[in-house]
Amino acid sequence: MKPAIISLCLFLSLLHCLRAQSCVSETFSSNRVYSSCNSLPYLGASLHWNYHSSNGTVDVAYRAPESSSGWIAWAVNPTGSGMIGANAFLAFPGSNGAVTLYTTKFSSYTVEASGVKNENLSFPVYSKQAEYENGYYTIFAALELPNNSTKLNTVWQASTQFQNGVPNGHPSGDNLLSKTNLDFLSGEAVSAGGNSRLRRKNIHGVLNSISWGILMPIGAIMARYVKVFKAADPAWFYLHVACQCSAYIIGISGWGLGLKLGSESVGITYHKHRDIAIALFCLATVQVFALLLRPNKEHKYRIYWNVYHHSVGYCIIILSIVNIFEGFDILDPAKKWKHAYIGVIATLGGVALVLEAVTWPIVLRRRSRSSEKSHHGVNGANGYGVRQHQVV
């Protein structure tokens, strides 16, 4: 056991050294040399710099892999940890084919193409240049560190999305995590919290997929098909209630987490996803509390309650599945998760179709027998049966 632990430690140390060397070994045009570097944790990017303590300035070189038709960006955020407030350097192919470098500020997550323009940043920039070579963009800049602070939040990006000839939009996933707090004096980089936020988004998605998207349909299958079998009575009812109540409790947890995430995402509103979620919460809450008003089977209003209960229930299931796919589009996880959920829904749909085919003949036979019994009962009540017997 001891040799295995020692080997693991040596292996991790080797990985750390290789990662450090990945940026140390990089070279730049015009014989530029930098005393510090950091292999950034996302997008395959690296940052190199020389810090000048005498005047609080820094020379930087940001490098990231991207196609020649794409763009990269590196930014300093003096007021926050993400895109809002970021003072960015954007390198992209210009209309003449040469690499263009913009300095621009971002005040919201939703940026129109007209808002991406070359402008002064909130701190002095003494020089800037960008180039593209061997599949990598590199941004060179000399700037004054805001507030004379060596610890700053930095953000970086790489994408191929454009609008009206300027960079506009990027994927999610690692692109949402590409930020860190960097100490230009010591070279230490600390996560800016992107992992925690993405983790909460994933938890939100898992909770809602399991509750609204899986447990709710299973509960409906229990109520529609399992109750047909007399041996399952009244177990089907308790299974149905257990599924739906569990789905509601778990779903409300996911819904609350979604509200929290939304309150933290100033400037970002997924209107369709949010509106469907609110509708689901309202319908599900009414559906749960409607159980307290359920009439007895013999009550004259029971048929109306059944129509309401079934209609609202199916509406909840349809809206749930639609909103889960909306969530997939927003979170943009690995394709396997979306395919896995499609497989689960397809399986439940297949089970429902099989049970539909199996239970309908049972229901029809049962109705036929009930109709015959009712007919004989009426004959016996009005005396016709007795008179026919007397005639014979």
Side-chain angles (χ1 to χ4, degrees):
M1 187 67 181
K2 223 173 196 181
I5 295 174
I6 294 172
S7 299
L8 179 60
C9 293
L10 289 173
F11 178 69
L12 293 175
S13 300
L14 178 61
L15 284 180
H16 179 76
C17 292
L18 288 174
R19 186 180 172 194
Q21 290 174 0
S22 65
C23 71
V24 171
S25 60
E26 291 180 339
T27 58
F28 301 94
S29 61
S30 302
N31 295 319
R32 294 180 176 94
V33 178
Y34 298 91
S35 59
S36 303
C37 75
N38 194 307
S39 294
L40 300 174
Y42 302 103
L43 309 183
S46 61
L47 183 69
H48 303 250
W49 70 92
N50 291 322
Y51 171 63
H52 307 288
S53 58
S54 58
N55 55 10
T57 62
V58 64
D59 304 322
V60 300
Y62 166 71
R63 175 172 284 175
E66 187 53 80
S67 67
S68 59
S69 59
W71 59 269
I72 68 166
W74 179 78
V76 170
N77 192 331
T79 59
S81 62
M83 180 177 173
I84 296 179
N87 287 239
F89 298 82
L90 284 79
F92 60 97
S95 56
N96 60 355
V99 177
T100 300
L101 181 61
Y102 275 11
T103 51
T104 189
K105 292 179 289 188
F106 294 101
S107 57
S108 70
Y109 287 108
T110 54
V111 181
E112 298 294 331
S114 58
V116 181
K117 55 190 176 182
N118 197 19
E119 60 182 333
N120 292 329
L121 301 183
S122 61
F123 47 81
V125 176
Y126 301 108
S127 66
K128 60 180 182 178
Q129 181 188 345
E131 62 184 27
Y132 185 84
E133 186 178 3
N134 298 326
Y136 284 82
Y137 275 104
T138 305
I139 295 173
F140 302 101
L143 56 118
E144 183 178 304
L145 295 180
N147 305 318
N148 198 29
S149 174
T150 61
K151 294 182 179 180
L152 291 171
N153 293 318
T154 62
V155 188
W156 63 97
Q157 282 297 341
S159 177
T160 57
Q161 299 179 26
F162 285 82
Q163 185 178 2
N164 297 336
V166 296
N168 195 280
H170 58 75
S172 55
D174 285 354
N175 291 74
L176 295 179
L177 301 177
S178 53
K179 53 187 176 180
T180 190
N181 183 273
L182 179 63
D183 189 336
F184 285 94
L185 184 59
S186 68
E188 182 182 358
V190 181
S191 172
N195 283 328
S196 173
R197 179 169 175 77
L198 182 62
R199 190 179 301 113
R200 285 183 292 152
K201 283 186 175 182
N202 289 334
I203 293 172
H204 166 74
V206 169
L207 289 175
N208 288 320
S209 297
I210 291 174
S211 58
W212 306 107
I214 296 177
L215 287 176
M216 280 284 183
I218 290 176
I221 288 173
M222 293 288 179
R224 179 169 176 82
Y225 302 113
V226 179
K227 74 174 181 180
V228 172
F229 304 99
K230 291 184 177 180
D233 191 25
W236 71 266
F237 176 75
Y238 297 113
L239 289 172
H240 170 67
V241 172
C243 277
Q244 306 307 69
C245 288
S246 298
Y248 180 75
I249 293 169
I250 297 171
I252 291 303
S253 301
W255 186 74
L257 182 55
L259 291 179
K260 176 64 175 174
L261 288 167
S263 67
E264 294 174 355
S265 303
V266 180
I268 295 182
T269 304
Y270 300 105
H271 294 282
K272 187 176 180 182
H273 188 65
R274 179 198 62 184
D275 294 345
I276 294 176
I278 293 172
L280 276 173
F281 170 75
C282 296
L283 289 172
T285 301
V286 171
Q287 186 81 320
V288 169
F289 285 100
L291 290 173
L292 303 176
L293 303 176
R294 185 169 66 110
N296 294 326
K297 289 183 179 180
E298 296 78 16
H299 199 283
K300 63 178 180 179
Y301 291 127
R302 178 59 181 262
I303 186 172
Y304 302 111
W305 188 91
N306 286 342
V307 171
Y308 144 78
H309 186 64
H310 296 160
S311 301
V312 173
Y314 291 131
C315 183
I316 289 172
I317 291 172
I318 292 170
L319 287 176
S320 298
I321 294 173
V322 169
N323 216 28
I324 286 169
F325 282 104
E326 284 291 318
F328 277 124
D329 291 339
I330 293 168
L331 192 57
D332 193 24
K335 296 296 183 185
K336 63 181 180 181
W337 299 111
K338 189 173 185 178
H339 294 161
Y341 181 68
I342 291 173
V344 170
I345 291 300
T347 301
L348 291 176
V351 169
L353 286 175
V354 171
L355 289 174
E356 192 79 26
V358 170
T359 54
W360 260 112
I362 298 174
V363 172
L364 292 176
R365 284 198 301 269
R366 198 169 289 164
R367 286 180 179 177
S368 176
R369 291 171 186 167
S370 177
S371 177
E372 289 176 3
K373 288 181 180 180
S374 175
H375 178 71
H376 290 317
V378 170
N379 286 345
N382 61 20
Y384 289 153
V386 174
R387 283 195 293 269
Q388 286 175 358
H389 179 71
Q390 290 173 347
V391 169
V392 172

